[in-house]
Amino acid sequence: MKKIKKYCRNWIKILDPRFLSVFTLVGILFCVSAAGSAQQIGRQYVTLDLKGVTLSVLFEEMMKQTDYRFFFNDAQEKNVKEVSISVKHVRVDSVLNQVFKNSRYTYRIIGTQVAIVDKPVQLPGQSVRRTNVTLLVKDSVAGIPLVGVACILKELGIYAVTDINGVAVLQQVPLGKTELELQILGYENYKKGINVEVNYSLEIRMIETSLALDEVNVVATKNEAGQATSSKIGRQAIDHLQATSLADLMQLLPGQLLKQNSDMTSPEQFYLRTLNSDKNNAFGVSIMVDGIPMSNDVNLNSNEFNVVGGGYDLRKIGTDNIESVEVIRGVPSVEYGDLSAGAVIVKTSVGKSPYQARVKVNPSIIQASLGKGWRLGDKGGFLNGSFDYLKSSGDPRKKTNSFDRINASAAYMNTFGIWRMTTRFGYSGIIDNVQQDPDEVDNGTYTESKDYTLKFSHEGSFSFNSALSRTLRYNVGVTTGRSDYFTSKIVSSSTGRTPIFTAKEEGIHEAILLPASYATSGGTIGKPLSVFAKVSNDFFVKAGLLNQRFNMGVEYRYSKNSGKGDYNTDDALPLKPTSARPRGFDEIPALNQLSAYFEDNIMLNIDECPVTIQAGVRYTVLQPGKSESVWSLSPRVNLSFSPVKWLDVKAAFGKNAKTPGLTHLYPDLKYVDRMIVNYGTGNPDEQYMLYDTRIIHVNNSKLKNSTTTRYEVGFDVKLPKDRMISISAFRDKNDLGFGSLSQYMTYAFDYYDISNGGVVPNPEGGKPTVDYSKPFRRDTVMTTTGEMGNTSGSVNEGVELEINLGKINPIRTDLYLRGGYTRSELYSSAPLYTRPVGYSGDVDTSPFRIAYSSKLQKDIDKQFSTQLQAVCHIPKLKIVGSATFQVIWYNYSKSTNSKRIPMGYLDNKLVYHEITQAMLDDPDYKIQGYKLQDQIIDPQVSDAIKQPVLWLMNFRLTKNISDFAGFSFYVNNLPYYEPWQHSNQTKTLSERNKNTFAFGVELSIKL
């Protein structure tokens, strides 16, 4: 091998056989610039007379006589032990055909480079001929090989990664047309349709991402036909937007409004395809970061900085280390589960990259970040590190609210033969702080919330290339942390001294009496832990025009919160006087979830009319083997076909199911407390109170998954010059959202009073005596059980629009139009129980409850909006600017309240009585003295509120000063348009577009 190096010098790198596994990836090193075809090569003929030589000697001699360079490894030379050949003035390919005639190896010629590779193996039962595809990947400018490029044939489930010489071999590829995709950090994604032939080889030049390119992409792009409706947001769009958290990116989606300026001092959730702030919608959005779910299932810290039972707080996820984001708005693949609304797929950066420092400044936020990606030698893989710090002061005119965030991560990626793996470690810490204004008198009150998260994730894939397992993938992740909420405040009561109920056992107890106002402190400590594991396998079958790729897998999720829970610094001075019974979170069982899925991706091309079908089913079970076990079966289908080349028609149907969280499945005990003695002499120090406590063991074991049924249809029209019109219509219905259940319990409480001798004063002062045989009265209290059910309902429907209007060449400006019409309906499906009309007594002791049918009241919102974005790009100046003009054409909101007709009543013995039509027709019919006719409530109809048209314009500019420095600038609400308008229901003016004006700058340096 030393002789080869003598002739080729830096051009050849011999691969270490330790890193070769089942299939050998070929080593190719680049020679001097050569022509791309054999006809342009100078010396191609050799004369040889060799006996019993090695491959090294053979290739050394051939290189002396030709312009070719040969690339092979030690394992190949070892297997081809002796070569004997005698030829005179023959072509190089003729010699190689003789040498490898009866060998397991063959060769590929790319220009003047010859790579020795494995021969394709025909799999058992294979009816379609297959071959290996050899790719040679280089930088488009420097011509150097690119290491670590992911080379993917997505529709076939085949992938490979380029080695140190920029070579990747895609094995067992069926002959015919397919699409090749290449991805690597810092370069533009490469996509090309190829027609695979026997011994297919291709040299590819990838273009480094830069504003000097003719084309840049600073908008969200739509997915390909046949897949779930989604939007993809790349690194250029993230940089141009100058996002500070994942929430900022959502404004790039069709139908979403431009985001109001956020000071990040309150939680930020993502609501998908709805106009309502529906917790079930946000809870049903799956956030996946590097294949690991970021779940809110075990969050129990209920306070102003946490949303229990809602969506994941997007403030925790910074954007400076994100490579791409995909938002699945339509029917997702069955590979994605535990969701009812959609999914957000986040991929962080990994691969070689220069030092990059960023500083962002706007009136509320200062942010700094540093990132770097190292290549650890020829075979050491890649190591990435990033650090991000953000501080927000809220309203800069005040110093009462603040928010701090620290994100740090490290990632390692490498390829060992058929195994490719990536391991990541991450830390996230956020601190919310609310304190007194410095100008106020200090009374010691403040609130602080600290949330720390540690994350480990590991993903890998094995390219087995066998008949039933082309690629085996796996993900393992562990996420743990601590959520610590603390507040110091003053508790006040407007009714005098405050009684404290602390009993945790049923019976009669003496109430603790505290002053009407007292200072106290306490908080909540949560320690969430989540474990995730997933294994998936895919393979394909091709027969003629039909191509099928099967994808299947299993998942396991474990979630637990072992925190202390609610606590008081001094239990004698509770934060919550009427519910001073803190529960430890570690008493709550863990969640165990198992899932399995199977999917078939069908591609069929009949008479130039391609048909794509993605069909699958997912099974999920939560808490298997327990009485509260919940399961769901979720079928999903995406279909598209192209009747003509310029038109894609698509349709989709699917069921998405979100399992309950800890707060839904394992609620706390409900304590029913009733004051039975309230004795006082006028002296506050002699006041004496007794209360009777009953305990309800809340049981939510009948809870089902929150399930959304989604329908979608649409079409894409492809116009000349890369213009396109894409329209999607959707309808989502969820009748199984988590909500309060209308279940009641009744308890009898005796009240004792001094007037009838039930309470006997102590003549010497002090506590009185209670004679429990002489109750003053007996109260029958009817109270809800506190149970939850699937009683929250919603319907979201609308149309989404995306149009690429093309480029205006004289001013180098691309125009994009996106928008949508959405109608959202929110209601409760639980029966409505109320006290009878005319009852004016104690709210807890009404004689019965009237039942009305469900869905009588609905909140309906409608909105139609568009965003026209003009993107001007000047490559020579390395500058791109964009102006986004948003118009809300239609804004409608209404609460309906139909006529309420009683359908039954529940007496204080919990017996339900149906109300018949004959009872309703009788004008004198009474229920326990209350006229039934009075219980028929006329509708309270109010006209819908409609707002006038409102517009907004934002401007952004990104400029590369040089290859190592750049800056970005933005102005939201550039014209400072904050009009005073009134709706159709009032003449009172209100300010609109409030809190939309802002500006900021970002500086970046690459070294």
Side-chain angles (χ1 to χ4, degrees):
M1 300 303 291
K2 293 181 180 179
K3 295 181 179 180
I4 297 296
K5 292 180 180 178
K6 175 181 177 181
Y7 283 93
C8 298
R9 305 194 178 190
N10 316 337
W11 296 320
I12 294 182
K13 179 74 177 177
I14 304 302
L15 294 178
D16 189 333
R18 292 176 298 174
F19 296 104
L20 298 175
S21 185
V22 179
F23 298 102
T24 304
L25 293 179
V26 186
I28 301 180
L29 195 67
F30 293 88
C31 310
V32 296
S33 296
S37 63
Q39 287 79 2
Q40 296 173 306
I41 298 172
R43 300 183 298 163
Q44 303 181 53
Y45 294 87
V46 295
T47 298
L48 301 171
D49 188 12
L50 302 172
K51 294 183 179 180
V53 299
T54 63
L55 286 181
S56 297
V57 175
L58 171 65
F59 293 150
E60 177 183 338
E61 185 61 33
M62 294 175 70
M63 284 190 291
K64 291 179 181 178
Q65 301 180 38
T66 68
D67 294 327
Y68 286 101
R69 295 295 178 265
F70 298 85
F71 305 94
F72 58 100
N73 57 57
D74 292 341
Q76 293 166 340
E77 184 170 37
K78 183 178 180 180
N79 290 329
V80 183
K81 296 181 180 179
E82 295 183 352
V83 177
S84 298
I85 187 168
S86 179
V87 295
K88 184 176 181 180
H89 194 64
V90 298
R91 290 171 57 94
V92 168
D93 54 354
S94 298
V95 174
L96 296 176
N97 288 336
Q98 293 183 47
V99 171
F100 298 113
K101 182 177 181 180
N102 297 316
S103 169
R104 56 175 289 192
Y105 303 111
T106 185
Y107 62 93
R108 296 286 184 270
I109 299 178
I110 308 176
T112 59
Q113 300 158 124
V114 181
I116 309 305
V117 299
D118 291 341
K119 286 182 179 177
V121 179
Q122 198 78 359
L123 298 177
Q126 183 174 293
S127 60
V128 179
R129 291 189 62 192
R130 309 188 185 195
T131 187
N132 288 353
V133 173
T134 304
L135 304 176
L136 180 60
V137 186
K138 301 179 181 179
D139 180 272
S140 62
V141 178
I144 60 175
L146 295 180
V147 184
V149 180
C151 307
I152 307 166
L153 300 176
K154 189 172 183 179
E155 63 184 38
L156 301 176
I158 302 175
Y159 86 95
V161 181
T162 57
D163 58 19
I164 183 177
N165 302 302
V167 172
V169 179
L170 298 162
Q171 301 188 14
Q172 296 295 321
V173 181
L175 304 186
K177 295 181 179 180
T178 188
E179 185 172 82
L180 172 66
E181 183 174 357
L182 274 63
Q183 300 174 353
I184 187 174
L185 181 65
Y187 284 78
E188 296 292 296
N189 284 356
Y190 175 93
K191 282 188 178 182
K192 180 181 180 180
I194 60 175
N195 188 10
V196 178
E197 301 173 347
V198 177
N199 300 333
Y200 187 81
S201 301
L202 182 65
E203 180 177 326
I204 298 170
R205 301 264 179 158
M206 295 193 71
I207 302 173
E208 188 174 3
T209 300
S210 169
L211 294 184
L213 300 178
D214 287 337
E215 298 293 335
V216 297
N217 190 1
V218 296
V219 298
T221 58
K222 67 175 297 296
N223 66 312
E224 299 174 353
Q227 302 174 11
T229 301
S230 67
S231 297
K232 295 182 180 180
I233 303 169
R235 185 66 246 177
Q236 283 185 328
I238 297 173
D239 289 339
H240 188 66
L241 191 63
Q242 301 163 63
T244 55
S245 76
L246 189 61
D248 292 336
L249 303 181
M250 301 303 116
Q251 61 188 292
L252 296 177
L253 307 179
Q256 294 286 119
L257 297 181
L258 295 177
K259 188 172 181 291
Q260 286 195 339
N261 304 314
S262 171
D263 57 18
M264 302 188 73
T265 56
S266 60
E268 294 184 342
Q269 304 177 85
F270 177 42
Y271 301 97
L272 183 61
R273 281 181 166 177
T274 184
L275 301 176
N276 297 312
S277 297
D278 181 7
K279 288 177 64 175
N280 282 300
N281 183 281
F283 189 62
V285 176
S286 175
I287 309 294
M288 304 286 292
V289 179
D290 297 319
I292 306 300
M294 298 291 101
S295 170
N296 207 37
D297 289 354
V298 295
N299 178 18
L300 297 171
N301 287 38
S302 181
N303 53 65
E304 61 266 42
F305 305 119
N306 271 287
V307 183
V308 175
Y312 189 78
D313 190 351
L314 301 184
R315 297 180 303 165
K316 299 179 182 180
I317 304 176
T319 59
D320 283 356
N321 192 42
I322 291 179
E323 182 178 350
S324 66
V325 176
E326 180 180 8
V327 181
I328 300 177
R329 314 189 312 273
V331 177
S333 162
V334 293
E335 185 171 357
Y336 302 110
D338 202 30
L339 55 86
S340 59
V344 180
I345 314 300
V346 180
K347 293 183 180 180
T348 60
S349 301
V350 60
K352 184 180 179 181
S353 61
Y355 281 102
Q356 181 152 358
R358 303 174 188 268
V359 177
K360 301 176 185 177
V361 180
N362 66 41
S364 300
I365 294 173
I366 298 176
Q367 181 180 4
S369 65
L370 177 65
K372 166 66 177 172
W374 296 269
R375 177 180 163 189
L376 305 178
D378 293 342
K379 301 176 183 178
F382 300 89
L383 177 65
N384 285 74
S386 68
F387 177 82
D388 166 24
Y389 173 71
L390 180 145
K391 183 174 183 60
S392 171
S393 57
D395 190 333
R397 298 168 298 179
K398 303 177 182 179
K399 297 181 180 179
T400 56
N401 293 48
S402 66
F403 172 81
D404 293 80
R405 182 186 71 198
I406 295 177
N407 285 336
S409 65
Y412 175 73
M413 180 180 70
N414 206 347
T415 302
F416 306 98
I418 64 169
W419 178 39
R420 188 188 191 197
M421 53 77 67
T422 304
T423 301
R424 295 178 173 90
F425 294 91
Y427 167 81
S428 174
I430 63 174
I431 300 176
D432 286 282
N433 190 286
V434 178
Q435 58 188 1
Q436 283 185 266
D437 192 303
D439 296 330
E440 295 178 353
V441 177
D442 186 6
N443 60 8
T445 61
Y446 73 97
T447 301
E448 186 175 68
S449 177
K450 299 178 180 179
D451 193 302
Y452 309 112
T453 303
L454 289 172
K455 187 182 78 169
F456 162 80
S457 67
H458 175 79
E459 61 180 322
S461 58
F462 292 92
S463 183
F464 289 130
N465 289 312
S466 62
L468 297 178
S469 181
R470 293 302 305 234
T471 304
L472 183 72
R473 295 180 174 86
Y474 66 91
N475 295 83
V476 178
V478 179
T479 305
T480 185
R482 177 185 173 100
S483 184
D484 193 342
Y485 172 81
F486 181 84
T487 183
S488 174
K489 67 177 185 178
I490 296 175
V491 177
S492 300
S493 172
S494 60
T495 59
R497 300 189 70 182
T498 305
I500 306 300
F501 304 148
T502 60
K504 290 189 175 182
E505 295 180 356
E506 292 189 332
I508 298 174
H509 310 274
E510 182 178 351
I512 300 172
L513 296 174
L514 294 178
S517 178
Y518 62 90
T520 186
S521 63
T524 310
I525 296 177
K527 294 182 179 179
L529 169 67
S530 297
V531 178
F532 176 79
K534 174 182 174 181
V535 178
S536 64
N537 174 56
D538 60 33
F539 62 92
F540 69 86
V541 176
K542 186 170 184 178
L545 299 176
L546 177 65
N547 185 75
Q548 291 178 270
R549 180 173 65 86
F550 297 96
N551 182 20
M552 62 204 73
V554 292
E555 284 182 10
Y556 171 70
R557 304 186 188 203
Y558 171 89
S559 302
K560 170 73 175 174
N561 194 325
S562 57
K564 180 180 180 180
D566 296 327
Y567 69 93
N568 300 300
T569 305
D570 184 351
D571 286 335
L573 300 172
L575 278 172
K576 303 174 182 178
T578 58
S579 57
R581 300 174 174 100
R583 173 177 68 155
F585 295 161
D586 53 355
E587 302 172 5
I588 304 173
L591 296 177
N592 289 274
Q593 182 185 137
L594 290 171
S595 302
Y597 63 88
F598 180 86
E599 184 175 79
D600 187 5
N601 294 268
I602 303 171
M603 286 150 282
L604 183 63
N605 195 341
I606 304 175
D607 297 329
E608 298 299 323
C609 178
V611 178
T612 303
I613 303 174
Q614 182 186 73
V617 63
R618 183 183 182 94
Y619 172 77
T620 299
V621 58
L622 181 70
Q623 304 300 69
K626 296 187 177 182
S627 60
E628 63 270 27
S629 178
V630 183
W631 67 273
S632 63
L633 198 64
S634 303
R636 300 173 194 165
V637 179
N638 282 282
L639 165 69
S640 77
F641 68 97
S642 302
V644 291
K645 290 184 178 181
W646 51 267
L647 177 64
D648 293 328
V649 181
K650 55 188 179 181
F653 163 80
K655 287 184 175 292
N656 303 325
K658 178 69 182 79
T659 57
L662 285 183
T663 188
H664 305 113
L665 210 54
Y666 299 108
D668 198 359
L669 300 174
K670 181 173 181 179
Y671 295 87
V672 181
D673 300 305
R674 184 78 174 176
M675 189 72 67
I676 62 172
V677 173
N678 188 357
Y679 171 79
T681 63
N683 183 354
D685 294 332
E686 295 183 359
Q687 190 170 7
Y688 180 67
M689 293 183 178
L690 292 180
Y691 64 96
D692 194 353
T693 296
R694 311 295 171 86
I695 300 176
I696 300 176
H697 295 267
V698 184
N699 183 2
N700 289 344
S701 61
K702 296 182 180 180
L703 205 61
K704 300 178 182 179
N705 288 336
S706 175
T707 304
T708 298
T709 302
R710 175 169 294 167
Y711 299 91
E712 189 174 56
V713 294
F715 60 87
D716 299 336
V717 179
K718 303 170 187 175
L719 302 174
K721 299 181 180 180
D722 295 327
R723 291 174 295 173
M724 177 178 286
I725 300 175
S726 179
I727 296 178
S728 298
F730 65 90
R731 188 176 195 270
D732 298 347
K733 185 174 183 179
N734 185 349
D735 274 332
L736 297 174
F738 306 124
S740 298
L741 196 62
S742 299
Q743 298 289 341
Y744 285 85
M745 292 286 289
T746 58
Y747 295 99
F749 292 95
D750 291 333
Y751 183 79
Y752 301 87
D753 191 74
I754 192 173
S755 61
N756 71 332
V759 178
V760 181
N762 188 340
E764 298 180 359
K767 297 180 181 180
T769 301
V770 178
D771 186 349
Y772 293 107
S773 65
K774 298 179 179 180
F776 177 74
R777 68 173 185 269
R778 171 161 288 187
D779 297 329
T780 300
V781 172
M782 183 180 294
T783 180
T784 57
T785 61
E787 295 179 21
M788 294 195 71
N790 299 97
T791 60
S792 178
S794 65
V795 176
N796 295 291
E797 53 194 5
V799 179
E800 295 173 337
L801 170 70
E802 295 177 89
I803 302 179
N804 183 344
L805 296 171
K807 176 176 289 187
I808 304 175
N809 289 318
I811 57 174
R812 300 193 61 87
T813 299
D814 292 278
L815 297 178
Y816 304 91
L817 179 66
R818 57 181 177 267
Y821 167 79
T822 304
R823 181 187 183 276
S824 294
E825 184 178 299
L826 196 62
Y827 53 87
S828 174
S829 60
L832 176 64
Y833 287 91
T834 67
R835 292 178 291 275
V837 175
Y839 176 77
S840 59
D842 189 329
V843 295
D844 294 326
T845 60
S846 65
F848 59 91
R849 298 288 175 113
I850 292 287
Y852 299 94
S853 61
S854 62
K855 300 182 182 180
L856 292 176
Q857 181 173 337
K858 297 181 180 181
D859 293 327
I860 300 175
D861 294 276
K862 303 176 186 178
Q863 180 179 279
F864 173 54
S865 65
T866 59
Q867 292 179 14
L868 177 64
Q869 186 170 12
V871 180
C872 180
H873 174 222
I874 306 176
K876 290 184 179 180
L877 299 180
K878 298 182 181 179
I879 190 171
V880 58
S882 69
T884 304
F885 187 74
Q886 171 183 280
V887 181
I888 302 177
W889 301 96
Y890 183 62
N891 188 304
Y892 169 107
S893 61
K894 182 178 181 179
S895 292
T896 64
N897 198 349
S898 303
K899 186 176 183 179
R900 296 182 182 178
I901 300 176
M903 62 180 186
Y905 67 94
L906 189 69
D907 64 23
N908 57 17
K909 294 182 181 180
L910 299 182
V911 177
Y912 180 81
H913 304 268
E914 185 178 354
I915 294 176
T916 65
Q917 187 61 44
M919 297 177 185
L920 292 170
D921 294 338
D922 185 351
D924 299 321
Y925 190 87
K926 293 183 179 180
I927 302 174
Q928 298 185 27
Y930 295 89
K931 289 188 67 174
L932 182 57
Q933 287 294 315
D934 292 342
Q935 312 309 316
I936 300 175
I937 302 174
D938 291 330
Q940 298 177 358
V941 180
S942 59
D943 293 334
I945 299 175
K946 299 178 183 179
Q947 300 288 354
V949 174
L950 182 68
W951 60 269
L952 179 69
M953 188 174 74
N954 292 350
F955 175 78
R956 280 168 167 75
L957 178 73
T958 304
K959 172 76 170 74
N960 284 354
I961 301 173
S962 62
D963 292 336
F964 63 87
F967 77 90
S968 298
F969 177 76
Y970 77 88
V971 181
N972 290 340
N973 194 357
L974 179 62
Y976 201 83
Y977 178 64
E978 296 185 353
W980 290 82
Q981 298 177 339
H982 65 83
S983 69
N984 64 323
Q985 293 295 306
T986 179
K987 296 299 181 181
T988 302
L989 297 175
S990 60
E991 187 178 13
R992 304 186 70 193
N993 275 346
K994 193 175 180 180
N995 191 34
T996 57
F997 176 77
F999 56 90
V1001 65
E1002 174 182 336
L1003 302 176
S1004 62
I1005 298 176
K1006 292 182 180 180
L1007 299 175

